[in-house]
Structure formats: C-alpha cells, structure tokens
C-alpha cells in the first residue's frame, strides 16, 4: 500500500524557516517525480514545486521561487521542502504527492494527509 | 501563471448528471492532454479521479468522465450520488514546465 506521511509543520514567525519532510513507502520512490502542493485555509489547491527522480531537476511556482527549496533522499525514501523567509500568506496545509506511471506521469496520484504550517507572530 | 477557471459551484439532484468546466489557455489546458481532476471532501486530502483528460485510474467509478475542447476541459459526473458532494479541482501541465490547479468547484447534491 502506498503511503506518504508529511511531518515538520507547525507555528513559525514571519521571516522564519521550516523544513517539511515526506516519508514514502509502498512504491519505488526513486523512480518517480514528486511534488509539494499546499492549500490555504478555505482556499483552493496551489502546486508549489516538483523534483525529478534523481534530484537533478526541479521546478517552482513563482510565488515560492527563491524562498523554498525542494529536495529528496532516495536512500531514505524521503522528500523535503525547505521553506525560508516565510510570510503570513504561506499559512496552509502542505501536501506531498507522487507522480507515478499510474497517473500517466503528469498528475498527482497519491497524496499524504498534509501537515499544517502557520506563519504568525 | 494564473489559476484555471472553474465555476464556484454546481448542483444537481440524485441521479442527474452535472458537468464542471475548467478553462485555461493554449499554454496549459489547450496545449497539452495533461489535464487531471481531483475530488476533495472536507478535512481530507484530495483524491485522484481523472488523468490525461479522460483516463480513470483503477478504482474510480465510471460515473466520472473527462473531456476537453480547445482551452476548456470538463468533468462530468453521471448518476449523481450523495457521496459525490465535495470540492473538485482540475489541474494542468503548462508550457513553463510547472503545474496549475483550477479555482475549485463545490458540488452540492440537492
């Protein structure tokens, strides 16, 4: 059974940093692109970033470019999101999602339960 | 990259069919057959429903179907059931190599 479990969320002050983790199991993590997606309270989904199988290529949405960094450790079956210069508008539930052959490679087939991040003083 | 445009809400009676539209541009929806759809119940993670415009993953009811014409993709739910009441989001790959989601549609079963 595929499982994605996010962790690392919490309360952080504006301008602060936070590192989110996503532990993957039940599939061959190293074979697939992975993404981070967030959802602000009462709002829609926002795709943030994705990373290639070997970590050699990444893409970001403009709103987080230069502030967030996606990375992965295939030996640990883990995905990360390093977030810095956090703003109130970054308050959201953050999801990791896989992009496997089951989704045709260009969709998000498995999702974690999400980890909440609150940016507030 | 702007969010894809979806109607804020769509409603229907049990047994009826409804269609949710997802409008983008030639740089996303119109340029690629990489439109996907997600269902989200309150407080839950999104569930993957459709990929590559019209393909259903294993386990998704055949009451859900997708299509595309030009810059607009659509999700149709036939034989509407109470459990279909949820928020629905489309997503598309874009010419920038990034992804964009739709604004979301709340489906109400009357």
């Amino acid at each position: 059974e595929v499982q994605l479990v996010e962790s690392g969320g919490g309360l952080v002050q504006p301008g602060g940093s936070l590192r989110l983790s996503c532990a993957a199991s039940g599939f061959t993590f190293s074979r697939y692109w992975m993404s981070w997606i967030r959802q602000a309270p009462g709002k829609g989904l926002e795709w943030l970033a994705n990373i290639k199988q070997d970590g050699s290529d990444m893409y970001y949405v403009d709103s987080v470019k230069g502030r967030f960094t996606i990375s992965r450790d295939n030996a640990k079956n883990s995905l990360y999101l390093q977030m810095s210069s956090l703003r109130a508008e970054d308050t959201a539930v953050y999801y990791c999602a896989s992009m496997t052959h089951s989704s045709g490679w260009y969709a998000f087939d498995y999702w974690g339960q999400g980890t909440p991040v609150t940016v507030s003083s | 990259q702007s969010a894809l445009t979806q109607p804020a809400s769509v409603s229907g009676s049990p047994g009826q069919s409804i269609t949710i539209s997802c409008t983008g541009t030639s740089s996303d929806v119109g340029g690629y057959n990489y439109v996907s759809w997600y269902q989200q119940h309150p407080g839950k993670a999104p569930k993957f429903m459709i990929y590559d415009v019209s393909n259903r993953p294993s386990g998704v009811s055949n009451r859900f179907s997708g299509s595309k014409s030009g810059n607009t993709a659509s999700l149709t739910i036939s034989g509407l059931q109470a459990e279909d009441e949820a928020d629905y989001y489309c997503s598309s790959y874009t010419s920038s190599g990034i992804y964009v989601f739709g604004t979301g549609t709340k489906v109400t079963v009357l």
Side-chain angles (χ1 to χ4, degrees):
Chain A
E1 179 195 4
V2 172
Q3 276 201 312
L4 296 171
V5 180
E6 301 94 338
S7 60
L11 175 63
V12 60
Q13 292 189 337
S17 299
L18 209 57
R19 188 199 197 203
L20 306 183
S21 299
C22 171
S25 61
F27 67 110
T28 309
F29 178 77
S30 61
R31 289 183 60 186
Y32 303 110
W33 283 76
M34 295 291 295
S35 278
W36 285 100
I37 295 158
R38 71 182 177 186
Q39 187 170 34
K43 303 297 184 182
L45 300 172
E46 180 183 24
W47 180 86
L48 299 178
N50 66 357
I51 185 167
K52 193 176 179 180
Q53 291 92 327
D54 62 359
S56 63
D57 204 7
M58 296 87 80
Y59 291 87
Y60 297 90
V61 69
D62 284 349
S63 59
V64 306
K65 203 175 292 185
R67 299 189 302 124
F68 290 10
T69 301
I70 189 171
S71 63
R72 64 192 297 162
D73 184 336
N74 287 340
K76 295 182 178 180
N77 288 339
S78 292
L79 178 72
Y80 306 102
L81 187 68
Q82 178 68 47
M83 305 186 295
S84 61
S85 302
L86 284 163
R87 309 163 180 164
E89 53 265 37
D90 295 318
T91 294
V93 173
Y94 285 72
Y95 296 100
C96 67
S98 62
M99 304 173 70
T100 77
H101 62 282
S102 301
S103 69
W105 306 98
Y106 291 88
F108 315 104
D109 45 4
Y110 296 99
W111 297 62
Q113 84 289 351
T115 187
V117 172
T118 301
V119 183
S120 174
S121 54
Chain B
Q1 182 71 47
S2 299
L4 307 175
T5 301
Q6 298 180 230
S9 62
V10 173
S11 62
S13 299
Q16 286 187 328
S17 293
I18 62 168
T19 297
I20 302 167
S21 61
C22 169
T23 302
T25 70
S26 58
S27 295
D28 38 64
V29 174
Y32 305 91
N33 287 324
Y34 297 139
V35 176
S36 53
W37 289 90
Y38 305 86
Q39 175 192 65
Q40 187 179 35
H41 287 106
K44 301 293 188 181
K47 177 186 176 184
F48 175 49
M49 303 298 286
I50 295 284
Y51 69 97
D52 292 355
V53 175
S54 60
N55 293 304
R56 266 188 318 275
S58 174
V60 172
S61 171
N62 59 10
R63 298 186 298 105
F64 293 85
S65 61
S67 62
K68 190 185 87 167
S69 177
N71 295 338
T72 298
S74 299
L75 175 71
T76 297
I77 309 175
S78 57
L80 199 61
Q81 299 180 1
E83 68 232 40
D84 300 332
E85 187 161 292
D87 293 327
Y88 291 82
Y89 295 90
C90 60
S91 176
S92 176
Y93 179 73
T94 77
S95 59
S96 304
I98 66 172
Y99 290 79
V100 62
F101 279 97
T103 50
T105 298
K106 180 177 180 59
V107 168
T108 300
V109 181
L110 302 172

PDB file of all heavy atoms in Angstrom, chain A residues 69-90:
ATOM      1  N   THR A  69      12.922  25.433  -1.226  1.00  0.00           N
ATOM      2  CA  THR A  69      13.785  24.505  -1.956  1.00  0.00           C
ATOM      3  C   THR A  69      13.279  23.087  -1.758  1.00  0.00           C
ATOM      4  O   THR A  69      13.150  22.625  -0.620  1.00  0.00           O
ATOM      5  CB  THR A  69      15.240  24.595  -1.469  1.00  0.00           C
ATOM      6  OG1 THR A  69      15.721  25.929  -1.643  1.00  0.00           O
ATOM      7  CG2 THR A  69      16.131  23.642  -2.260  1.00  0.00           C
ATOM      8  N   ILE A  70      13.014  22.412  -2.862  1.00  0.00           N
ATOM      9  CA  ILE A  70      12.589  21.014  -2.813  1.00  0.00           C
ATOM     10  C   ILE A  70      13.822  20.128  -2.968  1.00  0.00           C
ATOM     11  O   ILE A  70      14.744  20.447  -3.734  1.00  0.00           O
ATOM     12  CB  ILE A  70      11.540  20.720  -3.910  1.00  0.00           C
ATOM     13  CG1 ILE A  70      10.930  19.329  -3.739  1.00  0.00           C
ATOM     14  CG2 ILE A  70      12.128  20.902  -5.307  1.00  0.00           C
ATOM     15  CD1 ILE A  70       9.733  19.060  -4.672  1.00  0.00           C
ATOM     16  N   SER A  71      13.845  19.036  -2.236  1.00  0.00           N
ATOM     17  CA  SER A  71      14.952  18.087  -2.347  1.00  0.00           C
ATOM     18  C   SER A  71      14.441  16.701  -1.999  1.00  0.00           C
ATOM     19  O   SER A  71      13.310  16.542  -1.536  1.00  0.00           O
ATOM     20  CB  SER A  71      16.117  18.489  -1.438  1.00  0.00           C
ATOM     21  OG  SER A  71      15.711  18.464  -0.080  1.00  0.00           O
ATOM     22  N   ARG A  72      15.264  15.701  -2.217  1.00  0.00           N
ATOM     23  CA  ARG A  72      14.876  14.327  -1.910  1.00  0.00           C
ATOM     24  C   ARG A  72      16.104  13.525  -1.525  1.00  0.00           C
ATOM     25  O   ARG A  72      17.235  13.854  -1.908  1.00  0.00           O
ATOM     26  CB  ARG A  72      14.162  13.693  -3.105  1.00  0.00           C
ATOM     27  CG  ARG A  72      15.016  13.528  -4.337  1.00  0.00           C
ATOM     28  CD  ARG A  72      14.158  13.172  -5.564  1.00  0.00           C
ATOM     29  NE  ARG A  72      13.468  11.886  -5.413  1.00  0.00           N
ATOM     30  CZ  ARG A  72      12.421  11.530  -6.155  1.00  0.00           C
ATOM     31  NH1 ARG A  72      11.932  12.358  -7.076  1.00  0.00           N
ATOM     32  NH2 ARG A  72      11.858  10.333  -5.994  1.00  0.00           N
ATOM     33  N   ASP A  73      15.855  12.439  -0.785  1.00  0.00           N
ATOM     34  CA  ASP A  73      16.894  11.489  -0.429  1.00  0.00           C
ATOM     35  C   ASP A  73      16.336  10.115  -0.772  1.00  0.00           C
ATOM     36  O   ASP A  73      15.524   9.558  -0.015  1.00  0.00           O
ATOM     37  CB  ASP A  73      17.235  11.592   1.061  1.00  0.00           C
ATOM     38  CG  ASP A  73      18.390  10.695   1.463  1.00  0.00           C
ATOM     39  OD1 ASP A  73      18.650   9.681   0.767  1.00  0.00           O
ATOM     40  OD2 ASP A  73      19.029  10.970   2.490  1.00  0.00           O
ATOM     41  N   ASN A  74      16.736   9.591  -1.911  1.00  0.00           N
ATOM     42  CA  ASN A  74      16.175   8.322  -2.363  1.00  0.00           C
ATOM     43  C   ASN A  74      16.582   7.158  -1.459  1.00  0.00           C
ATOM     44  O   ASN A  74      15.856   6.170  -1.348  1.00  0.00           O
ATOM     45  CB  ASN A  74      16.588   8.051  -3.810  1.00  0.00           C
ATOM     46  CG  ASN A  74      15.859   8.948  -4.790  1.00  0.00           C
ATOM     47  OD1 ASN A  74      14.800   9.513  -4.485  1.00  0.00           O
ATOM     48  ND2 ASN A  74      16.422   9.114  -5.984  1.00  0.00           N
ATOM     49  N   ALA A  75      17.708   7.271  -0.806  1.00  0.00           N
ATOM     50  CA  ALA A  75      18.139   6.212   0.107  1.00  0.00           C
ATOM     51  C   ALA A  75      17.221   6.130   1.325  1.00  0.00           C
ATOM     52  O   ALA A  75      17.064   5.067   1.924  1.00  0.00           O
ATOM     53  CB  ALA A  75      19.566   6.458   0.554  1.00  0.00           C
ATOM     54  N   LYS A  76      16.623   7.254   1.664  1.00  0.00           N
ATOM     55  CA  LYS A  76      15.712   7.302   2.817  1.00  0.00           C
ATOM     56  C   LYS A  76      14.243   7.361   2.388  1.00  0.00           C
ATOM     57  O   LYS A  76      13.361   7.515   3.234  1.00  0.00           O
ATOM     58  CB  LYS A  76      16.031   8.517   3.691  1.00  0.00           C
ATOM     59  CG  LYS A  76      17.398   8.461   4.353  1.00  0.00           C
ATOM     60  CD  LYS A  76      17.626   9.669   5.250  1.00  0.00           C
ATOM     61  CE  LYS A  76      18.973   9.568   5.949  1.00  0.00           C
ATOM     62  NZ  LYS A  76      19.232  10.741   6.828  1.00  0.00           N
ATOM     63  N   ASN A  77      13.989   7.257   1.082  1.00  0.00           N
ATOM     64  CA  ASN A  77      12.610   7.347   0.565  1.00  0.00           C
ATOM     65  C   ASN A  77      11.906   8.590   1.110  1.00  0.00           C
ATOM     66  O   ASN A  77      10.749   8.524   1.549  1.00  0.00           O
ATOM     67  CB  ASN A  77      11.807   6.096   0.930  1.00  0.00           C
ATOM     68  CG  ASN A  77      12.236   4.886   0.133  1.00  0.00           C
ATOM     69  OD1 ASN A  77      12.835   5.007  -0.948  1.00  0.00           O
ATOM     70  ND2 ASN A  77      11.972   3.698   0.655  1.00  0.00           N
ATOM     71  N   SER A  78      12.591   9.700   1.057  1.00  0.00           N
ATOM     72  CA  SER A  78      12.063  10.918   1.655  1.00  0.00           C
ATOM     73  C   SER A  78      12.156  12.120   0.734  1.00  0.00           C
ATOM     74  O   SER A  78      13.124  12.272  -0.026  1.00  0.00           O
ATOM     75  CB  SER A  78      12.795  11.234   2.964  1.00  0.00           C
ATOM     76  OG  SER A  78      12.487  10.270   3.947  1.00  0.00           O
ATOM     77  N   LEU A  79      11.132  12.961   0.834  1.00  0.00           N
ATOM     78  CA  LEU A  79      11.030  14.218   0.102  1.00  0.00           C
ATOM     79  C   LEU A  79      11.048  15.351   1.118  1.00  0.00           C
ATOM     80  O   LEU A  79      10.517  15.197   2.221  1.00  0.00           O
ATOM     81  CB  LEU A  79       9.723  14.240  -0.688  1.00  0.00           C
ATOM     82  CG  LEU A  79       9.384  15.489  -1.492  1.00  0.00           C
ATOM     83  CD1 LEU A  79      10.284  15.589  -2.717  1.00  0.00           C
ATOM     84  CD2 LEU A  79       7.915  15.464  -1.914  1.00  0.00           C
ATOM     85  N   TYR A  80      11.634  16.461   0.752  1.00  0.00           N
ATOM     86  CA  TYR A  80      11.740  17.588   1.682  1.00  0.00           C
ATOM     87  C   TYR A  80      11.315  18.891   1.020  1.00  0.00           C
ATOM     88  O   TYR A  80      11.371  19.033  -0.199  1.00  0.00           O
ATOM     89  CB  TYR A  80      13.188  17.734   2.179  1.00  0.00           C
ATOM     90  CG  TYR A  80      13.751  16.474   2.776  1.00  0.00           C
ATOM     91  CD1 TYR A  80      14.629  15.662   2.046  1.00  0.00           C
ATOM     92  CD2 TYR A  80      13.402  16.078   4.069  1.00  0.00           C
ATOM     93  CE1 TYR A  80      15.134  14.498   2.591  1.00  0.00           C
ATOM     94  CE2 TYR A  80      13.908  14.914   4.620  1.00  0.00           C
ATOM     95  CZ  TYR A  80      14.774  14.126   3.872  1.00  0.00           C
ATOM     96  OH  TYR A  80      15.270  12.961   4.403  1.00  0.00           O
ATOM     97  N   LEU A  81      10.911  19.840   1.860  1.00  0.00           N
ATOM     98  CA  LEU A  81      10.659  21.201   1.405  1.00  0.00           C
ATOM     99  C   LEU A  81      11.244  22.143   2.443  1.00  0.00           C
ATOM    100  O   LEU A  81      10.732  22.230   3.559  1.00  0.00           O
ATOM    101  CB  LEU A  81       9.161  21.475   1.207  1.00  0.00           C
ATOM    102  CG  LEU A  81       8.848  22.835   0.577  1.00  0.00           C
ATOM    103  CD1 LEU A  81       9.333  22.868  -0.879  1.00  0.00           C
ATOM    104  CD2 LEU A  81       7.349  23.139   0.638  1.00  0.00           C
ATOM    105  N   GLN A  82      12.336  22.797   2.092  1.00  0.00           N
ATOM    106  CA  GLN A  82      12.940  23.797   2.958  1.00  0.00           C
ATOM    107  C   GLN A  82      12.292  25.139   2.652  1.00  0.00           C
ATOM    108  O   GLN A  82      12.369  25.609   1.509  1.00  0.00           O
ATOM    109  CB  GLN A  82      14.450  23.865   2.727  1.00  0.00           C
ATOM    110  CG  GLN A  82      15.155  24.905   3.561  1.00  0.00           C
ATOM    111  CD  GLN A  82      15.143  24.565   5.048  1.00  0.00           C
ATOM    112  OE1 GLN A  82      15.428  23.438   5.439  1.00  0.00           O
ATOM    113  NE2 GLN A  82      14.804  25.547   5.878  1.00  0.00           N
ATOM    114  N   MET A  83      11.671  25.724   3.652  1.00  0.00           N
ATOM    115  CA  MET A  83      10.954  26.978   3.455  1.00  0.00           C
ATOM    116  C   MET A  83      11.630  28.078   4.279  1.00  0.00           C
ATOM    117  O   MET A  83      11.892  27.884   5.473  1.00  0.00           O
ATOM    118  CB  MET A  83       9.495  26.829   3.894  1.00  0.00           C
ATOM    119  CG  MET A  83       8.779  25.679   3.215  1.00  0.00           C
ATOM    120  SD  MET A  83       7.018  25.625   3.614  1.00  0.00           S
ATOM    121  CE  MET A  83       7.083  25.276   5.359  1.00  0.00           C
ATOM    122  N   SER A  84      11.924  29.203   3.647  1.00  0.00           N
ATOM    123  CA  SER A  84      12.542  30.318   4.351  1.00  0.00           C
ATOM    124  C   SER A  84      11.811  31.614   4.009  1.00  0.00           C
ATOM    125  O   SER A  84      10.979  31.635   3.099  1.00  0.00           O
ATOM    126  CB  SER A  84      14.033  30.418   4.002  1.00  0.00           C
ATOM    127  OG  SER A  84      14.183  30.637   2.610  1.00  0.00           O
ATOM    128  N   SER A  85      12.153  32.671   4.733  1.00  0.00           N
ATOM    129  CA  SER A  85      11.506  33.978   4.538  1.00  0.00           C
ATOM    130  C   SER A  85       9.993  33.821   4.508  1.00  0.00           C
ATOM    131  O   SER A  85       9.301  34.352   3.626  1.00  0.00           O
ATOM    132  CB  SER A  85      11.992  34.633   3.240  1.00  0.00           C
ATOM    133  OG  SER A  85      13.394  34.796   3.249  1.00  0.00           O
ATOM    134  N   LEU A  86       9.473  33.075   5.462  1.00  0.00           N
ATOM    135  CA  LEU A  86       8.048  32.751   5.471  1.00  0.00           C
ATOM    136  C   LEU A  86       7.199  33.987   5.739  1.00  0.00           C
ATOM    137  O   LEU A  86       7.573  34.874   6.501  1.00  0.00           O
ATOM    138  CB  LEU A  86       7.769  31.653   6.492  1.00  0.00           C
ATOM    139  CG  LEU A  86       8.190  30.258   6.017  1.00  0.00           C
ATOM    140  CD1 LEU A  86       8.293  29.285   7.175  1.00  0.00           C
ATOM    141  CD2 LEU A  86       7.204  29.741   4.967  1.00  0.00           C
ATOM    142  N   ARG A  87       6.045  33.991   5.077  1.00  0.00           N
ATOM    143  CA  ARG A  87       5.098  35.096   5.169  1.00  0.00           C
ATOM    144  C   ARG A  87       3.755  34.573   5.656  1.00  0.00           C
ATOM    145  O   ARG A  87       3.486  33.370   5.558  1.00  0.00           O
ATOM    146  CB  ARG A  87       4.904  35.729   3.784  1.00  0.00           C
ATOM    147  CG  ARG A  87       6.185  36.100   3.062  1.00  0.00           C
ATOM    148  CD  ARG A  87       5.921  36.327   1.587  1.00  0.00           C
ATOM    149  NE  ARG A  87       7.131  36.686   0.841  1.00  0.00           N
ATOM    150  CZ  ARG A  87       7.240  36.650  -0.470  1.00  0.00           C
ATOM    151  NH1 ARG A  87       6.188  36.281  -1.208  1.00  0.00           N
ATOM    152  NH2 ARG A  87       8.374  36.998  -1.062  1.00  0.00           N
ATOM    153  N   ALA A  88       2.914  35.476   6.126  1.00  0.00           N
ATOM    154  CA  ALA A  88       1.592  35.068   6.592  1.00  0.00           C
ATOM    155  C   ALA A  88       0.832  34.310   5.506  1.00  0.00           C
ATOM    156  O   ALA A  88       0.099  33.347   5.792  1.00  0.00           O
ATOM    157  CB  ALA A  88       0.801  36.298   7.040  1.00  0.00           C
ATOM    158  N   GLU A  89       1.026  34.710   4.265  1.00  0.00           N
ATOM    159  CA  GLU A  89       0.299  34.069   3.161  1.00  0.00           C
ATOM    160  C   GLU A  89       0.802  32.663   2.845  1.00  0.00           C
ATOM    161  O   GLU A  89       0.228  31.972   2.006  1.00  0.00           O
ATOM    162  CB  GLU A  89       0.330  34.931   1.898  1.00  0.00           C
ATOM    163  CG  GLU A  89       1.710  35.368   1.455  1.00  0.00           C
ATOM    164  CD  GLU A  89       2.077  36.755   1.964  1.00  0.00           C
ATOM    165  OE1 GLU A  89       1.707  37.097   3.113  1.00  0.00           O
ATOM    166  OE2 GLU A  89       2.763  37.484   1.209  1.00  0.00           O
ATOM    167  N   ASP A  90       1.859  32.224   3.511  1.00  0.00           N
ATOM    168  CA  ASP A  90       2.325  30.845   3.357  1.00  0.00           C
ATOM    169  C   ASP A  90       1.594  29.895   4.299  1.00  0.00           C
ATOM    170  O   ASP A  90       1.809  28.682   4.268  1.00  0.00           O
ATOM    171  CB  ASP A  90       3.832  30.748   3.612  1.00  0.00           C
ATOM    172  CG  ASP A  90       4.654  31.508   2.578  1.00  0.00           C
ATOM    173  OD1 ASP A  90       4.320  31.425   1.381  1.00  0.00           O
ATOM    174  OD2 ASP A  90       5.627  32.194   2.974  1.00  0.00           O
TER     175      ASP A  90
END
